[in-house]
Amino acid sequence: MPARRPPPDSPEAARGILEGVLRRYERVVVAYSGGVDSTLLAVVAHEVLGDGSLAVTAVSPSLARRELRAARALARARGLQHRLVRTREVSRPEYARNSQDRCYWCKSELFDVLEPVARERDAVVCLGTNTDDLSDRRPGLVAAAERGVASPLVEAGLGKRDVRELSRRMGLPTADKPASPCLASRFAYGVRVTPAGLRRVEAAEEAVRAFGFDELRVRDLGGRARVEVAPASLERARALWDRIAPAVLATGFETVELDPRGFRSGALNELLPPPRLPARP
């Protein structure tokens, strides 16, 4: 795992430490999804390194189209050097079977694609991991450690709160953006991930979002959809359920239910034992 330092004393200190970390790398390729962490990393890297920084977005059925549009728009607005690449993690049997190590294979595919780009530029591949991620179930971090991928936010000691505060001070629209992991994270472990299934989940979430919900998930439990909205929005979801449920079913799910506990990040991990990860080569 990447080395980490104590959290910074202030947003100004956080910015200075992060800039110092990036200057040591000189040239970077940032895995840029348009989320809170990777956006901050890509923008600061661009401001510090200029042409020495390239933000790269991996495009696949796992990335929601609204997320891709937002990432491209922000990159244009901030003048980032931005490149789209195609990843094919869904074609990997290890990924599609959707075991607990799915994220390991997703990141392995990502790094397989980013490493040649980095070699062309004599650059270091960087991931927007923050210090809070180190205590979560993150098989993808194992893949990053195996490949020597850098985590500048961790090296600078930045947790999620620091990232959001620094993003706010920099005027980034992602400062208060809800977490937006890939669409495959909606599938219960063991439910096979397919392009059609990813499109169905994406369509179902757009259907719920049309009723004015911003923080939400539609979980695929194997033909059965479970809708999660922010706990503060549960009463409104119940009031609108007679309209929400048909809209979700119209996307192809057989049944649909509303989770009475509301949205929780990593809800599908709650009852799982620790993941069994592939042995290092």
Side-chain angles (χ1 to χ4, degrees):
M1 296 297 174
R4 58 190 293 186
R5 67 176 71 210
D9 296 329
S10 67
E12 293 77 14
R15 173 70 184 258
I17 295 168
L18 180 58
E19 288 181 355
V21 170
L22 290 165
R23 286 194 183 97
R24 288 203 309 271
Y25 287 120
E26 297 183 350
R27 299 183 65 81
V28 297
V29 168
V30 177
Y32 167 63
S33 67
V36 182
D37 301 313
S38 68
T39 294
L40 176 70
L41 180 58
V43 170
V44 175
H46 169 71
E47 293 181 359
V48 171
L49 302 177
D51 290 343
S53 174
L54 175 67
V56 180
T57 301
V59 180
S60 79
S62 300
L63 178 66
R65 284 166 288 189
R66 71 165 38 241
E67 295 296 328
L68 176 59
R69 290 193 296 270
R72 296 183 74 176
L74 193 151
R76 286 195 299 269
R78 287 281 173 163
L80 306 185
Q81 284 195 93
H82 186 211
R83 185 184 302 182
L84 304 182
V85 294
R86 180 71 59 178
T87 56
R88 294 176 173 80
E89 63 273 13
V90 182
S91 299
R92 288 192 176 218
E94 305 93 341
Y95 177 92
R97 72 188 177 203
N98 196 24
S99 299
Q100 294 177 50
D101 61 357
R102 183 196 67 239
C103 290
Y104 174 91
W105 299 108
C106 178
K107 288 295 187 290
S108 295
E109 171 70 14
L110 174 64
F111 301 145
D112 281 349
V113 172
L114 293 187
E115 284 169 349
V117 177
R119 282 197 298 270
E120 288 174 8
R121 299 174 59 85
D122 192 25
V124 176
V125 176
C126 293
L127 203 59
T129 305
N130 68 68
T131 58
D132 293 333
D133 295 331
L134 302 182
S135 59
D136 197 4
R137 183 187 298 271
R138 303 271 177 166
L141 294 182
V142 177
E146 291 175 355
R147 305 296 189 95
V149 171
S151 298
L153 300 179
V154 172
E155 293 180 54
L158 304 188
K160 196 71 168 188
R161 186 173 181 177
D162 303 308
V163 170
R164 288 192 184 279
E165 180 58 29
L166 187 51
S167 298
R168 197 171 292 116
R169 295 201 176 208
M170 293 175 61
L172 297 178
T174 50
D176 297 308
K177 181 179 180 178
S180 52
C182 77
L183 293 171
S185 68
R186 278 64 156 174
F187 288 68
Y189 292 115
V191 175
R192 190 169 184 80
V193 177
T194 66
L198 291 164
R199 286 193 296 270
R200 180 171 69 176
V201 164
E202 182 178 12
E205 291 196 347
E206 288 300 313
V208 177
R209 190 171 280 109
F211 290 94
F213 298 94
D214 293 325
E215 191 170 18
L216 67 110
R217 297 286 187 273
V218 175
R219 310 286 188 186
D220 188 331
L221 307 183
R224 176 166 58 97
R226 187 178 75 194
V227 176
E228 299 175 11
V229 299
S233 300
L234 273 171
E235 285 306 314
R236 190 161 65 88
R238 291 188 183 103
L240 293 170
W241 190 245
D242 286 346
R243 296 167 59 194
I244 294 172
V248 173
L249 292 174
T251 66
F253 283 100
E254 298 168 11
T255 60
V256 59
E257 61 192 43
L258 178 65
D259 191 317
R261 295 171 294 175
F263 167 69
R264 300 158 329 280
S265 181
L268 297 177
N269 289 334
E270 290 172 356
L271 301 177
L272 288 174
R276 296 179 63 186
L277 300 178
R280 295 190 179 192

